[in-house]
Amino acid sequence: MLVAGPTGSGKTSSSYAPLQEVSGPAVNTVTIEDPVEYALPHATQIGINPKMGVTFGSGLRTVLRQDANVIFVGEMRDQESFAISVRAPLSGHFVVSTLHASDTVSALTALRNRDLDRQVLADALQLLISQHLVQSQVALGVAGGAVLGAVLLFALVQAHVMHPVVRERMPGTMELAGTVLRGLGQQHPGAGAVEAGPKAR
């Protein structure tokens, strides 16, 4: 699961939403961040410290040896962290990370420019989200807020389908998604319509 967006758009906050749901005493969850921004119960959180030799790459190698179920990489910065993060899901790890990019197309372009194996990338990447902050003076409205909530919920639905850890920790996700959409359609006809075409996100 990869969350893309410009600086300050809330990528880490969005990443922590599913982490808080799937993390628990029975799930080995590890985060690697620079710096650690949120306290996550039942998780091992590692802060990057290059002076001590702790980088995203070295942290990822250590975490994989510990056989973590869920891994959050605060940001994929160098070739090593890109390569390890993309290959980790192939061995059963649920990996969440962020990437500086203006939209999903730019994020995919950035991944391809890292000389990653396209077949490995296609197998590993199950969900790509792009987000931007809405200016405070723009009123989102009830219908807009409902649509935004539905979009975030379907991100979790995709993760639910994708990984057994998510299915185990959130067994009612699919039913909840159906309930939300039915309610959205009844209260705000047309609010759930999604724009089709290359500009749709």
Side-chain angles (χ1 to χ4, degrees):
M1 173 178 170
L2 187 60
V3 183
T7 302
S9 62
K11 297 185 296 295
T12 301
S13 298
S14 295
S15 299
Y16 262 88
L19 291 176
Q20 289 173 340
E21 295 293 337
V22 301
S23 181
V27 179
N28 184 5
T29 304
V30 182
T31 74
I32 308 170
E33 306 172 70
D34 182 24
V36 175
E37 298 186 38
Y38 296 97
L40 185 63
H42 309 297
T44 300
Q45 297 183 272
I46 303 172
I48 296 303
N49 189 342
K51 293 182 179 179
M52 299 293 293
V54 182
T55 64
F56 282 106
S58 64
L60 277 167
R61 289 195 302 272
T62 301
V63 168
L64 291 178
R65 285 196 292 268
Q66 296 176 354
D67 197 26
N69 302 115
V70 180
I71 304 171
F72 172 58
V73 184
E75 182 184 348
M76 293 192 294
R77 293 182 179 175
D78 52 36
Q79 183 65 26
E80 184 179 24
S81 61
F82 269 92
I84 298 176
S85 297
V86 168
R87 289 189 175 275
L90 302 183
S91 54
H93 305 281
F94 178 38
V95 180
V96 181
S97 189
T98 69
L99 181 65
H100 284 286
S102 58
D103 51 35
T104 53
V105 175
S106 299
L108 286 174
T109 301
L111 291 172
R112 290 176 178 175
N113 289 341
R114 287 288 179 171
D115 294 327
L116 301 171
D117 185 290
R118 293 196 175 190
Q119 184 60 51
V120 172
L121 181 59
D123 292 339
L125 185 60
Q126 299 295 318
L127 177 63
L128 176 56
I129 303 171
S130 172
Q131 67 180 45
H132 293 261
L133 292 182
V134 178
Q135 293 184 2
S136 59
Q137 55 265 48
V138 178
L140 186 59
V142 176
V147 172
L148 183 59
V151 169
L152 292 177
L153 180 60
F154 265 92
L156 289 179
V157 169
Q158 179 65 28
H160 182 279
V161 174
M162 172 181 64
H163 203 279
V165 171
V166 183
R167 288 198 297 270
E168 179 181 349
R169 298 289 296 174
M170 302 178 65
T173 303
M174 303 296 283
E175 292 80 4
L176 178 60
T179 302
V180 169
L181 282 185
R182 284 192 296 272
L184 179 61
Q186 293 171 1
Q187 296 177 19
H188 308 285
V194 178
E195 177 188 356
K199 294 184 179 180
R201 294 180 182 176

Short mmCIF file of all heavy atoms in Angstrom, two decimals, residues 141-188:
data_model
loop_
_atom_site.label_atom_id
_atom_site.label_comp_id
_atom_site.label_asym_id
_atom_site.label_seq_id
_atom_site.Cartn_x
_atom_site.Cartn_y
_atom_site.Cartn_z
N GLY A 141 -18.62 20.28 2.70
CA GLY A 141 -20.03 19.92 2.73
C GLY A 141 -20.24 18.49 3.18
O GLY A 141 -19.33 17.68 3.20
N VAL A 142 -21.47 18.19 3.55
CA VAL A 142 -21.80 16.86 4.07
C VAL A 142 -21.61 15.80 3.00
O VAL A 142 -21.03 14.75 3.24
CB VAL A 142 -23.26 16.85 4.59
CG1 VAL A 142 -23.65 15.44 5.04
CG2 VAL A 142 -23.41 17.83 5.74
N ALA A 143 -22.11 16.06 1.79
CA ALA A 143 -21.99 15.08 0.71
C ALA A 143 -20.54 14.83 0.36
O ALA A 143 -20.12 13.68 0.19
CB ALA A 143 -22.76 15.56 -0.52
N GLY A 144 -19.75 15.90 0.28
CA GLY A 144 -18.33 15.74 -0.04
C GLY A 144 -17.60 14.96 1.03
O GLY A 144 -16.75 14.12 0.75
N GLY A 145 -17.94 15.23 2.30
CA GLY A 145 -17.32 14.48 3.39
C GLY A 145 -17.68 13.02 3.34
O GLY A 145 -16.85 12.15 3.62
N ALA A 146 -18.91 12.72 2.97
CA ALA A 146 -19.34 11.32 2.86
C ALA A 146 -18.58 10.60 1.74
O ALA A 146 -18.18 9.45 1.88
CB ALA A 146 -20.84 11.26 2.61
N VAL A 147 -18.40 11.29 0.61
CA VAL A 147 -17.65 10.71 -0.50
C VAL A 147 -16.21 10.44 -0.09
O VAL A 147 -15.65 9.38 -0.37
CB VAL A 147 -17.70 11.63 -1.74
CG1 VAL A 147 -16.77 11.10 -2.82
CG2 VAL A 147 -19.12 11.72 -2.27
N LEU A 148 -15.59 11.42 0.60
CA LEU A 148 -14.21 11.25 1.05
C LEU A 148 -14.08 10.06 1.99
O LEU A 148 -13.15 9.26 1.89
CB LEU A 148 -13.73 12.53 1.73
CG LEU A 148 -12.27 12.55 2.21
CD1 LEU A 148 -11.33 12.32 1.02
CD2 LEU A 148 -11.95 13.86 2.90
N GLY A 149 -15.06 9.93 2.89
CA GLY A 149 -15.05 8.79 3.80
C GLY A 149 -15.18 7.47 3.05
O GLY A 149 -14.52 6.49 3.39
N ALA A 150 -16.02 7.46 2.02
CA ALA A 150 -16.19 6.24 1.23
C ALA A 150 -14.91 5.88 0.49
O ALA A 150 -14.57 4.70 0.37
CB ALA A 150 -17.34 6.43 0.24
N VAL A 151 -14.19 6.88 -0.01
CA VAL A 151 -12.93 6.62 -0.71
C VAL A 151 -11.92 5.98 0.24
O VAL A 151 -11.25 5.00 -0.09
CB VAL A 151 -12.37 7.93 -1.29
CG1 VAL A 151 -10.94 7.72 -1.79
CG2 VAL A 151 -13.24 8.44 -2.42
N LEU A 152 -11.79 6.53 1.46
CA LEU A 152 -10.85 5.96 2.43
C LEU A 152 -11.27 4.55 2.82
O LEU A 152 -10.44 3.68 3.02
CB LEU A 152 -10.77 6.87 3.66
CG LEU A 152 -10.14 8.23 3.44
CD1 LEU A 152 -10.20 9.07 4.71
CD2 LEU A 152 -8.69 8.09 2.98
N LEU A 153 -12.59 4.34 2.94
CA LEU A 153 -13.08 3.02 3.29
C LEU A 153 -12.73 2.00 2.22
O LEU A 153 -12.31 0.88 2.52
CB LEU A 153 -14.58 3.07 3.52
CG LEU A 153 -15.25 1.75 3.91
CD1 LEU A 153 -14.65 1.22 5.21
CD2 LEU A 153 -16.75 1.93 4.05
N PHE A 154 -12.85 2.39 0.95
CA PHE A 154 -12.54 1.45 -0.12
C PHE A 154 -11.04 1.17 -0.22
O PHE A 154 -10.63 0.14 -0.72
CB PHE A 154 -13.10 1.95 -1.45
CG PHE A 154 -14.44 1.36 -1.73
CD1 PHE A 154 -15.59 2.02 -1.34
CD2 PHE A 154 -14.55 0.11 -2.31
CE1 PHE A 154 -16.83 1.46 -1.57
CE2 PHE A 154 -15.79 -0.46 -2.54
CZ PHE A 154 -16.95 0.21 -2.16
N ALA A 155 -10.22 2.10 0.28
CA ALA A 155 -8.79 1.81 0.38
C ALA A 155 -8.58 0.63 1.32
O ALA A 155 -7.79 -0.28 1.07
CB ALA A 155 -8.03 3.03 0.88
N LEU A 156 -9.33 0.62 2.43
CA LEU A 156 -9.23 -0.49 3.37
C LEU A 156 -9.84 -1.76 2.80
O LEU A 156 -9.39 -2.86 3.09
CB LEU A 156 -9.92 -0.12 4.68
CG LEU A 156 -9.21 0.93 5.53
CD1 LEU A 156 -10.01 1.22 6.79
CD2 LEU A 156 -7.80 0.48 5.90
N VAL A 157 -10.88 -1.61 1.97
CA VAL A 157 -11.47 -2.79 1.32
C VAL A 157 -10.44 -3.48 0.44
O VAL A 157 -10.30 -4.70 0.44
CB VAL A 157 -12.71 -2.39 0.50
CG1 VAL A 157 -13.16 -3.54 -0.39
CG2 VAL A 157 -13.85 -1.98 1.43
N GLN A 158 -9.69 -2.67 -0.33
CA GLN A 158 -8.66 -3.25 -1.19
C GLN A 158 -7.60 -3.96 -0.36
O GLN A 158 -7.17 -5.06 -0.71
CB GLN A 158 -8.01 -2.13 -2.01
CG GLN A 158 -6.90 -2.61 -2.93
CD GLN A 158 -7.39 -3.54 -4.02
OE1 GLN A 158 -8.54 -3.45 -4.42
NE2 GLN A 158 -6.56 -4.43 -4.49
N ALA A 159 -7.20 -3.35 0.76
CA ALA A 159 -6.23 -4.00 1.63
C ALA A 159 -6.83 -5.26 2.25
O ALA A 159 -6.14 -6.25 2.47
CB ALA A 159 -5.79 -3.03 2.73
N HIS A 160 -8.13 -5.24 2.54
CA HIS A 160 -8.83 -6.40 3.10
C HIS A 160 -8.74 -7.59 2.15
O HIS A 160 -8.50 -8.72 2.55
CB HIS A 160 -10.29 -6.02 3.36
CG HIS A 160 -11.11 -7.11 3.98
ND1 HIS A 160 -11.65 -8.13 3.24
CD2 HIS A 160 -11.47 -7.33 5.26
CE1 HIS A 160 -12.32 -8.93 4.05
NE2 HIS A 160 -12.23 -8.47 5.28
N VAL A 161 -8.93 -7.32 0.87
CA VAL A 161 -8.86 -8.37 -0.13
C VAL A 161 -7.43 -8.84 -0.30
O VAL A 161 -7.15 -10.01 -0.56
CB VAL A 161 -9.41 -7.86 -1.48
CG1 VAL A 161 -9.21 -8.89 -2.57
CG2 VAL A 161 -10.89 -7.52 -1.34
N MET A 162 -6.50 -7.91 -0.10
CA MET A 162 -5.11 -8.16 -0.44
C MET A 162 -4.36 -9.03 0.56
O MET A 162 -3.59 -9.89 0.18
CB MET A 162 -4.38 -6.81 -0.57
CG MET A 162 -2.86 -6.90 -0.73
SD MET A 162 -2.13 -5.25 -0.82
CE MET A 162 -2.51 -4.59 0.78
N HIS A 163 -4.57 -8.81 1.86
CA HIS A 163 -3.65 -9.40 2.82
C HIS A 163 -4.38 -10.10 3.96
O HIS A 163 -5.35 -9.58 4.51
CB HIS A 163 -2.74 -8.31 3.39
CG HIS A 163 -1.46 -8.84 3.94
ND1 HIS A 163 -1.37 -9.38 5.19
CD2 HIS A 163 -0.23 -8.94 3.40
CE1 HIS A 163 -0.13 -9.78 5.41
NE2 HIS A 163 0.58 -9.52 4.34
N PRO A 164 -3.93 -11.30 4.36
CA PRO A 164 -4.60 -12.06 5.41
C PRO A 164 -4.58 -11.37 6.77
O PRO A 164 -5.50 -11.54 7.56
CB PRO A 164 -3.82 -13.39 5.45
CG PRO A 164 -2.51 -13.10 4.79
CD PRO A 164 -2.80 -12.05 3.77
N VAL A 165 -3.54 -10.60 7.07
CA VAL A 165 -3.48 -9.89 8.35
C VAL A 165 -4.63 -8.89 8.45
O VAL A 165 -5.29 -8.76 9.48
CB VAL A 165 -2.13 -9.15 8.52
CG1 VAL A 165 -2.15 -8.25 9.75
CG2 VAL A 165 -0.99 -10.16 8.64
N VAL A 166 -4.91 -8.18 7.36
CA VAL A 166 -6.00 -7.20 7.35
C VAL A 166 -7.33 -7.91 7.45
O VAL A 166 -8.24 -7.48 8.16
CB VAL A 166 -5.94 -6.33 6.07
CG1 VAL A 166 -7.04 -5.27 6.10
CG2 VAL A 166 -4.58 -5.67 5.94
N ARG A 167 -7.49 -9.02 6.75
CA ARG A 167 -8.74 -9.77 6.81
C ARG A 167 -9.02 -10.26 8.23
O ARG A 167 -10.16 -10.24 8.70
CB ARG A 167 -8.70 -10.96 5.84
CG ARG A 167 -8.78 -10.58 4.38
CD ARG A 167 -9.17 -11.77 3.52
NE ARG A 167 -8.18 -12.82 3.57
CZ ARG A 167 -7.14 -12.91 2.74
NH1 ARG A 167 -6.96 -11.99 1.81
NH2 ARG A 167 -6.29 -13.90 2.83
N GLU A 168 -7.97 -10.69 8.92
CA GLU A 168 -8.15 -11.22 10.27
C GLU A 168 -8.51 -10.12 11.27
O GLU A 168 -9.36 -10.30 12.12
CB GLU A 168 -6.87 -11.93 10.72
CG GLU A 168 -6.94 -12.50 12.13
CD GLU A 168 -5.64 -13.17 12.53
OE1 GLU A 168 -4.77 -13.37 11.66
OE2 GLU A 168 -5.51 -13.49 13.72
N ARG A 169 -7.84 -8.96 11.14
CA ARG A 169 -8.05 -7.88 12.09
C ARG A 169 -9.31 -7.07 11.80
O ARG A 169 -9.85 -6.43 12.69
CB ARG A 169 -6.84 -6.95 12.10
CG ARG A 169 -5.55 -7.60 12.53
CD ARG A 169 -5.56 -7.92 13.99
NE ARG A 169 -5.65 -6.71 14.80
CZ ARG A 169 -5.79 -6.70 16.10
NH1 ARG A 169 -5.88 -7.83 16.77
NH2 ARG A 169 -5.85 -5.56 16.77
N MET A 170 -9.77 -7.05 10.55
CA MET A 170 -10.94 -6.25 10.17
C MET A 170 -11.92 -7.11 9.39
O MET A 170 -12.14 -6.90 8.20
CB MET A 170 -10.49 -5.05 9.33
CG MET A 170 -9.50 -4.14 10.03
SD MET A 170 -8.98 -2.78 8.97
CE MET A 170 -10.53 -1.89 8.79
N PRO A 171 -12.54 -8.11 10.03
CA PRO A 171 -13.39 -9.05 9.30
C PRO A 171 -14.65 -8.42 8.72
O PRO A 171 -15.24 -8.96 7.79
CB PRO A 171 -13.74 -10.10 10.36
CG PRO A 171 -13.60 -9.37 11.67
CD PRO A 171 -12.47 -8.41 11.46
N GLY A 172 -15.12 -7.29 9.25
CA GLY A 172 -16.38 -6.71 8.79
C GLY A 172 -16.22 -5.59 7.79
O GLY A 172 -17.16 -4.85 7.52
N THR A 173 -15.02 -5.45 7.20
CA THR A 173 -14.77 -4.32 6.31
C THR A 173 -15.68 -4.33 5.10
O THR A 173 -16.24 -3.29 4.72
CB THR A 173 -13.30 -4.35 5.84
OG1 THR A 173 -12.45 -4.33 6.98
CG2 THR A 173 -12.99 -3.13 4.98
N MET A 174 -15.87 -5.47 4.46
CA MET A 174 -16.67 -5.54 3.25
C MET A 174 -18.13 -5.18 3.54
O MET A 174 -18.76 -4.43 2.79
CB MET A 174 -16.60 -6.94 2.64
CG MET A 174 -15.18 -7.40 2.32
SD MET A 174 -14.38 -6.39 1.07
CE MET A 174 -15.17 -7.01 -0.40
N GLU A 175 -18.67 -5.69 4.66
CA GLU A 175 -20.05 -5.38 5.01
C GLU A 175 -20.21 -3.90 5.33
O GLU A 175 -21.19 -3.26 4.96
CB GLU A 175 -20.47 -6.23 6.21
CG GLU A 175 -20.59 -7.72 5.92
CD GLU A 175 -19.25 -8.42 5.91
OE1 GLU A 175 -18.23 -7.77 6.21
OE2 GLU A 175 -19.21 -9.63 5.58
N LEU A 176 -19.21 -3.33 6.02
CA LEU A 176 -19.26 -1.91 6.37
C LEU A 176 -19.25 -1.05 5.11
O LEU A 176 -19.98 -0.06 5.02
CB LEU A 176 -18.06 -1.55 7.26
CG LEU A 176 -17.94 -0.07 7.67
CD1 LEU A 176 -19.17 0.37 8.44
CD2 LEU A 176 -16.67 0.13 8.50
N ALA A 177 -18.45 -1.43 4.12
CA ALA A 177 -18.38 -0.66 2.87
C ALA A 177 -19.73 -0.64 2.17
O ALA A 177 -20.19 0.40 1.69
CB ALA A 177 -17.32 -1.26 1.95
N GLY A 178 -20.40 -1.79 2.13
CA GLY A 178 -21.71 -1.86 1.49
C GLY A 178 -22.73 -0.99 2.21
O GLY A 178 -23.53 -0.29 1.58
N THR A 179 -22.70 -1.00 3.54
CA THR A 179 -23.63 -0.18 4.32
C THR A 179 -23.41 1.30 4.07
O THR A 179 -24.36 2.07 3.89
CB THR A 179 -23.45 -0.48 5.82
OG1 THR A 179 -23.67 -1.87 6.06
CG2 THR A 179 -24.43 0.34 6.66
N VAL A 180 -22.14 1.72 4.05
CA VAL A 180 -21.82 3.14 3.83
C VAL A 180 -22.30 3.58 2.46
O VAL A 180 -22.90 4.66 2.29
CB VAL A 180 -20.31 3.38 3.98
CG1 VAL A 180 -19.94 4.78 3.49
CG2 VAL A 180 -19.89 3.22 5.43
N LEU A 181 -22.04 2.77 1.44
CA LEU A 181 -22.43 3.16 0.08
C LEU A 181 -23.95 3.22 -0.08
O LEU A 181 -24.47 4.12 -0.74
CB LEU A 181 -21.83 2.17 -0.92
CG LEU A 181 -20.35 2.38 -1.23
CD1 LEU A 181 -19.93 1.42 -2.32
CD2 LEU A 181 -20.06 3.80 -1.64
N ARG A 182 -24.66 2.29 0.53
CA ARG A 182 -26.11 2.33 0.44
C ARG A 182 -26.66 3.58 1.11
O ARG A 182 -27.55 4.26 0.58
CB ARG A 182 -26.71 1.07 1.08
CG ARG A 182 -26.57 -0.18 0.20
CD ARG A 182 -27.43 -1.31 0.74
NE ARG A 182 -26.98 -1.74 2.07
CZ ARG A 182 -26.05 -2.67 2.26
NH1 ARG A 182 -25.46 -3.25 1.23
NH2 ARG A 182 -25.70 -3.02 3.48
N GLY A 183 -26.11 3.92 2.28
CA GLY A 183 -26.54 5.12 2.97
C GLY A 183 -26.19 6.38 2.20
O GLY A 183 -26.97 7.34 2.13
N LEU A 184 -25.00 6.38 1.57
CA LEU A 184 -24.57 7.53 0.78
C LEU A 184 -25.50 7.75 -0.41
O LEU A 184 -25.88 8.87 -0.73
CB LEU A 184 -23.14 7.32 0.29
CG LEU A 184 -22.52 8.40 -0.59
CD1 LEU A 184 -22.46 9.73 0.15
CD2 LEU A 184 -21.13 7.99 -1.05
N GLY A 185 -25.89 6.67 -1.07
CA GLY A 185 -26.76 6.78 -2.22
C GLY A 185 -28.16 7.26 -1.87
O GLY A 185 -28.78 8.00 -2.62
N GLN A 186 -28.64 6.88 -0.68
CA GLN A 186 -29.98 7.30 -0.26
C GLN A 186 -30.01 8.76 0.19
O GLN A 186 -30.96 9.49 -0.10
CB GLN A 186 -30.45 6.40 0.88
CG GLN A 186 -30.70 4.96 0.45
CD GLN A 186 -30.96 4.04 1.63
OE1 GLN A 186 -30.97 4.47 2.78
NE2 GLN A 186 -31.16 2.76 1.35
N GLN A 187 -28.95 9.21 0.90
CA GLN A 187 -28.95 10.56 1.46
C GLN A 187 -28.49 11.61 0.46
O GLN A 187 -28.95 12.75 0.50
CB GLN A 187 -28.05 10.60 2.70
CG GLN A 187 -28.55 9.72 3.83
CD GLN A 187 -27.60 9.73 5.01
OE1 GLN A 187 -26.78 10.62 5.12
NE2 GLN A 187 -27.71 8.74 5.87
N HIS A 188 -27.59 11.24 -0.43
CA HIS A 188 -27.02 12.20 -1.37
C HIS A 188 -26.96 11.57 -2.76
O HIS A 188 -25.91 11.11 -3.19
CB HIS A 188 -25.61 12.62 -0.93
CG HIS A 188 -25.55 13.09 0.48
ND1 HIS A 188 -26.01 14.31 0.88
CD2 HIS A 188 -25.09 12.48 1.61
CE1 HIS A 188 -25.83 14.46 2.18
NE2 HIS A 188 -25.28 13.36 2.64
#
